[in-house]
Amino acid sequence: MAKTLSFLFLFLILASCFNKNPNTECFENRYPFQGSPDKADVLNLSYSLKEGKVSGEYNWLPLEKDKRIGHFEGVEENGIITAQYYFEQEGISDSTQIQITISEQKAIVKEPGSNFGFKAEIMRINCDQ
């Protein structure tokens, strides 16, 4: 019995590693340094959608500056995500509301208020990249 349970547990762990969420979307922009294409600033966004609820990550990753790393939670309606974005930048944690408009080719991220001036267009990529 214990051997069967151990096998079942191992099977479930391995299955979860290969189970890609079909409701995950990924977006990324790379801004290579002039003369050094292997070095780049990166802006990325990914999220999962389930029953109208959204959770994801939105990160600004400059190579030689402080990063902004965060996650968001919200709702999606008619291709527009409204979410609360929780992030850390320069050692300070903060949050703001963001709006993400999704199209076939890109995501447009903006902040309805003017607290942080978020505005970006990020191109869709294959999540396996």
Side-chain angles (χ1 to χ4, degrees):
M1 175 79 167
K3 190 174 186 179
T4 303
L5 287 175
S6 295
F7 178 74
L8 180 60
F9 182 70
L10 180 61
F11 176 76
L12 290 174
I13 289 174
L14 289 173
S16 70
C17 292
F18 295 103
N19 184 17
K20 300 269 186 204
N21 184 345
N23 297 322
T24 299
E25 302 290 338
C26 299
F27 303 82
E28 183 175 276
N29 290 351
R30 297 185 65 76
Y31 305 98
F33 285 17
Q34 186 174 357
S36 298
D38 56 323
K39 296 180 180 181
D41 293 341
V42 177
L43 181 62
N44 64 33
L45 173 107
S46 63
Y47 69 89
S48 294
L49 174 65
K50 184 174 182 182
E51 298 174 4
K53 297 197 186 257
V54 177
S55 62
E57 295 183 4
Y58 176 46
N59 302 306
W60 169 234
L61 307 169
L63 188 64
E64 297 179 350
K65 298 179 185 173
D66 289 327
K67 298 164 177 28
R68 181 188 318 126
I69 298 173
H71 71 278
F72 58 91
E73 298 172 2
V75 295
E76 184 274 339
E77 189 173 325
N78 299 321
I80 299 175
I81 296 169
T82 303
Q84 191 67 25
Y85 176 50
Y86 306 92
F87 63 95
E88 186 170 312
Q89 184 172 2
E90 297 183 13
I92 298 172
S93 297
D94 212 331
S95 71
T96 189
Q97 186 176 39
I98 59 173
Q99 186 178 65
I100 306 167
T101 304
I102 305 297
S103 72
E104 290 281 328
Q105 293 87 19
K106 62 187 172 185
I108 300 172
V109 181
K110 61 183 177 180
E111 179 190 25
S114 60
N115 294 338
F116 300 100
F118 292 8
K119 183 156 171 95
E121 291 187 14
I122 310 168
M123 303 310 294
R124 183 182 295 271
I125 63 168
N126 183 330
C127 290
D128 293 332
Q129 289 182 347

